[in-house]
């Protein structure tokens, strides 16, 4: 399952879109998101060593008020509903 894939990333001061591209390559998943929305979130750093994709996404997105869901091998990133 895509949710169980382990990833390793060490990126500093990059846009969320850059991190999602890298996670997509490693997990063989496609990310679906609003590019303009993610760009407004600014830059971020992330470091993970052989961690579950879901753990990295949780840590990465929660601080920006974003959430994700899996649809097969597509990961949909969107704003959390309040």
């Amino acid at each position: 399952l895509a949710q169980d894939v382990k990833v390793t990333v060490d990126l500093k001061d990059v846009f969320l879109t850059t991190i999602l591209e890298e996670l997509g390559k490693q997990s063989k998943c496609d990310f679906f998101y609003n590019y303009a929305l993610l760009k407004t979130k600014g830059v971020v750093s992330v470091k993970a060593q052989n961690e579950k994709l879901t753990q990295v996404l949780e840590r990465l997105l929660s601080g920006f008020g974003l959430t994700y869901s899996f649809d097969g091998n597509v990961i949909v990133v969107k704003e959390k509903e309040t």
Side-chain angles (χ1 to χ4, degrees):
L1 288 172
Q3 292 94 317
D4 296 327
V5 170
K6 303 257 176 136
V7 294
T8 298
V9 287
D10 187 1
L11 297 167
K12 293 184 187 337
D13 301 326
V14 295
F15 285 107
L16 280 172
T17 52
T18 304
I19 296 170
L20 295 181
E21 282 175 26
E22 179 58 31
L23 293 175
K25 285 179 197 168
Q26 290 188 34
S27 64
K28 296 185 175 43
C29 291
D30 292 315
F31 282 88
F32 181 78
Y33 52 83
N34 180 320
Y35 185 83
L37 170 66
L38 265 56
K39 282 289 188 183
T40 66
K41 303 297 181 183
V43 295
V44 66
S45 299
V46 64
K47 187 171 188 168
Q49 184 73 36
N50 201 31
E51 277 186 59
K52 271 189 170 182
L53 177 60
T54 52
Q55 291 175 315
V56 177
L57 288 173
E58 198 67 43
R59 196 168 70 236
L60 181 65
L61 299 176
S62 63
F64 292 100
L66 299 169
T67 187
Y68 68 93
S69 60
F70 282 88
D71 185 2
N73 271 10
V74 176
I75 302 168
V76 179
V77 177
K78 60 186 177 182
E79 283 192 290
K80 274 187 189 163
E81 294 179 16
T82 53

